[in-house]
Amino acid sequence: MNTAGHSTAMAPRGLELTPFRGLRYDPDRVGSLAAVTSPPYDVVVRPDGLHHLQSADPHNIVRLILPEAGTPEARNAQAADTLRRWRAEGVLTADPVPCLYVYEQRDGDGTVQRGIIGALRVSDPDERLVLPHEDVMPHIVADRADLMRATSANLEPLLLTYRGEGGDGGDGSATVTATLIERAAEQRPLLATTTEDGFHHRLWSVTDPAGLAAIQRELAGHQALIADGHHRWATYRRLRAEHPSPGPWDHGLVLLVDTARYPLRVRAIHRLLHALPVADASAALDGLFRVRRLDVPLAEAMDALGEAASAGNAFLLAGDGAFHLVDRPDPELLARTVPADRPAAWRTLDATVLHATLLDHVWRVPDSPAHIAYIHDTAATVEKAERDGGTAVLMHPVHEDVVRDLARQGVTMPRKSTSFGPKPASGLVLRALDL
């Protein structure tokens, strides 16, 4: 029986996190657990990163989350066939009983993040339980929906945050969940591995009925912010609307992290403009922004960007072997191009100015995959711009408080405005909807 597919008759009070039977790699059937994991699908830099992961192990999770074939239909059919084969061969096996999972990530500096993985009831926007902070791109939602339909699985958890003790009107009961997480982390883990980025990953199961009930009670009093996975959450909502309820599509795989206890890092997502050379991009800004050439290493250029961003909107252009610091926009230009019907915190975002002013008005670059790529890795964005003759637009990150504040007002930021992390590794636990 799929325990995540049934809803109670009562109106939900808040977040509903349900145990499920996780689908996990059998460590005896793969080279190593690290070799079969991957970053989330939208963080993998294609094709370089994709081919690197494919060569790490023939069972790497990218063969499911980013299948390669000639057409979208063939890609999704291939992923479905691969998942069926791996389950039949015992490469992926289901845990015997439904559980929630405590997940820990620890980096080389000793920074620890812990959270709970479970199947979350997919709620409607007007319930104000799961708050987005970015818009989504319809073609990506359609692509992820096609993949989930074909595989009948949630292949990787999205990352949600909530404010435990002292947040969301919490009454201190968050310590119950925190205590259970710490207690689980003292036990022998289900799995432990270190990925090539230096992160140590450990996973434990929570099956005790009293512990599960305590976690569920605590979460029922909270909202969550989507930190990473807006497109997958939109996909969950689309697929739930397509399928009868109650049923397994009523829930989606998530990792919930209490940022009052484990603050996330917020990084920027950079843009690569395929068809716009740096010289043309800079020339178009004459008289509209201040542009300064920086012949310094990347780290120093990013420091200069951070300093400039503390005083106002600022960007760093790259792609011609140097860096060009863009700041001090013409106030009249902003007044003409930035929509005035949003809060000041939204109107002054770098991402807002980039899209409304630079891309739409000055450079006239359409926001489509043919013209813009969104890349998380700073050095990779610069390298691809230099190799392809395009322009890398490097961004400075937004503070989490600004993101959460706008989300609570119901105001979404321009898409791909932030990158919260550390993100959960894909491939440690999957959710098959027939379990």
Side-chain angles (χ1 to χ4, degrees):
M1 181 178 71
N2 187 323
T3 59
H6 295 269
S7 305
T8 63
M10 292 175 57
R13 293 188 300 114
L15 300 174
E16 286 187 7
L17 194 67
T18 305
F20 70 104
R21 292 179 63 198
L23 198 61
R24 298 189 293 111
Y25 282 99
D26 181 344
D28 295 330
R29 301 297 304 273
V30 297
S32 74
L33 288 174
V36 295
T37 64
S38 163
Y41 78 97
D42 58 338
V43 180
V44 177
V45 179
R46 290 173 270 188
D48 304 359
L50 181 59
H51 295 158
H52 171 72
L53 290 163
Q54 287 171 338
S55 63
D57 188 285
H59 300 107
N60 190 284
I61 191 70
V62 293
R63 297 182 187 277
L64 300 180
I65 63 175
L66 291 171
E68 284 199 303
T71 66
E73 294 77 15
R75 288 196 294 271
N76 295 326
Q78 182 185 93
D81 290 342
T82 300
L83 179 58
R84 277 193 293 270
R85 185 173 73 253
W86 288 357
R87 292 179 68 179
E89 294 171 352
V91 173
L92 288 167
T93 60
D95 284 326
V97 296
C99 54
L100 298 178
Y101 296 86
V102 172
Y103 175 45
E104 175 191 274
Q105 293 161 280
R106 186 186 300 266
D107 67 12
D109 299 329
T111 302
V112 177
Q113 175 177 290
R114 291 179 180 143
I116 300 281
I117 295 176
L120 185 70
R121 183 183 71 87
V122 179
S123 53
D124 291 321
D126 58 8
E127 295 182 68
R128 305 290 295 150
L129 292 178
V130 177
L131 305 178
H133 68 268
E134 291 182 359
D135 296 327
V136 296
M137 293 177 255
H139 72 279
I140 296 181
V141 176
D143 174 73
R144 290 294 102 183
D146 289 342
L147 179 63
M148 283 191 208
R149 279 192 213 94
T151 58
S152 195
N154 301 151
L155 299 172
E156 46 185 346
L158 52 86
L159 175 60
L160 303 182
T161 73
Y162 70 101
R163 299 290 293 176
E165 187 173 4
D168 290 358
D171 57 3
S173 60
T175 55
V176 175
T177 298
T179 300
L180 287 165
I181 288 175
E182 302 310 315
R183 191 181 302 153
E186 294 171 356
Q187 309 302 312
R188 182 185 175 121
L190 294 175
L191 65 84
T193 191
T194 302
T195 44
E196 65 178 8
D197 58 6
F199 270 89
H200 308 288
H201 306 262
R202 295 196 294 172
L203 194 75
W204 298 265
S205 62
V206 179
T207 57
D208 169 55
L212 293 172
I215 291 171
Q216 289 171 317
R217 277 195 305 271
E218 189 273 314
L219 290 175
H222 292 281
Q223 289 176 317
L225 175 73
I226 302 176
D228 186 68
H230 284 80
H231 290 91
R232 281 167 284 166
W233 182 255
T235 299
Y236 290 166
R237 289 188 50 240
R238 174 181 291 193
L239 294 173
R240 188 204 59 177
E242 292 176 1
H243 292 83
S245 181
W249 297 97
D250 289 349
H251 292 72
L253 186 63
V254 306
L255 166 64
L256 268 165
V257 174
D258 176 3
T259 53
R261 189 170 183 85
Y262 298 108
L264 269 67
R265 303 167 190 167
V266 187
R267 294 190 168 95
I269 302 176
H270 310 297
R271 277 68 168 157
L272 175 62
L273 312 182
H274 299 301
L276 182 67
V278 176
D280 294 349
S282 298
L285 300 177
D286 186 38
L288 303 175
F289 286 75
R290 181 174 69 169
V291 182
R292 289 175 287 163
R293 180 186 173 102
L294 305 177
D295 290 298
V296 298
L298 175 59
E300 289 183 35
M302 292 303 290
D303 287 343
L305 173 61
E307 187 175 337
S310 67
N313 298 119
F315 312 92
L316 201 62
L317 309 185
D320 61 352
F323 297 100
H324 306 267
L325 183 60
V326 176
D327 65 355
R328 297 189 184 177
D330 174 15
E332 291 185 5
L333 173 68
L334 298 184
R336 286 199 317 272
T337 56
V338 175
D341 60 346
R342 305 285 184 91
W346 182 90
R347 296 198 305 273
T348 55
L349 289 169
D350 287 337
T352 297
V353 172
L354 172 62
H355 284 263
T357 303
L358 288 172
L359 294 175
D360 292 352
H361 182 81
V362 178
W363 292 330
R364 301 192 182 281
V365 175
D367 190 1
S368 69
H371 295 89
I372 303 176
Y374 293 82
I375 305 176
H376 293 70
D377 185 87
T378 309
T381 312
V382 175
E383 288 164 11
K384 288 179 74 66
E386 291 179 345
R387 188 169 66 220
D388 302 343
T391 294
V393 183
L394 306 182
M395 311 280 287
H396 186 69
V398 182
H399 197 277
E400 181 188 352
D401 289 345
V402 174
V403 178
R404 189 178 296 276
D405 210 39
L406 286 170
R408 282 183 171 152
Q409 295 179 58
V411 178
T412 53
M413 300 165 65
R415 50 187 155 225
K416 299 294 183 183
S417 292
T418 61
S419 175
F420 282 84
K423 304 177 191 303
S426 298
L428 296 181
V429 60
L430 293 65
R431 176 177 173 250
L433 273 65
D434 62 351
L435 290 172

